[in-house]
Amino acid sequence: MTKTLACRCEDVTLHDLEDAIARGYTDIESLKRYTGFGTGWCQGKSCVALCARVLVEHGGNAALPITPRPPVHPIALGQLAGLADVAEEDERSGRRPQ
């Protein structure tokens, strides 16, 4: 038996999806919560379309979008914008924030 990955980030296989659908997880949100696809580093950018297609092919409903979640660890907006390094450099050099 080959291992066909549907979500590389969370190691969810095609078999995992088919098993979950057979157990009654027939909407995209419950399938995501049961298997964990779409919760890794890519946040579903690489796998949601494939998982939704598998769900629909097996008679499920993928009409509603999945619920996005914030990052696991809180981070400052400056880090997201790439400003944390600039602020640290300003602090080391004695420059005041503007």
Side-chain angles (χ1 to χ4, degrees):
M1 182 171 115
T2 61
K3 183 176 179 179
T4 305
L5 288 176
C7 174
R8 292 180 293 176
C9 299
E10 294 299 314
D11 198 35
V12 177
T13 65
L14 181 60
H15 176 74
D16 294 334
L17 292 175
E18 291 170 340
D19 181 57
I21 294 166
R23 290 174 183 265
Y25 298 97
T26 57
D27 65 273
I28 195 79
E29 182 67 24
S30 65
L31 186 64
K32 179 194 83 163
R33 289 177 186 220
Y34 184 77
T35 63
F37 80 84
T39 61
W41 291 104
C42 79
Q43 290 293 292
K45 290 176 185 70
S46 299
C47 63
V48 168
L50 171 65
C51 294
R53 190 178 92 205
V54 170
L55 177 62
V56 170
E57 287 174 353
H58 286 81
N61 180 8
L64 297 174
I66 62 171
T67 306
R69 302 281 186 231
V72 174
H73 303 286
I75 57 175
L77 288 176
Q79 289 176 312
L80 290 175
L83 299 177
D85 295 334
V86 174
E88 288 174 9
E89 180 61 34
D90 285 350
E91 188 175 322
R92 281 194 295 273
S93 65
R95 286 190 292 254
R96 295 175 48 89
Q98 307 229 352

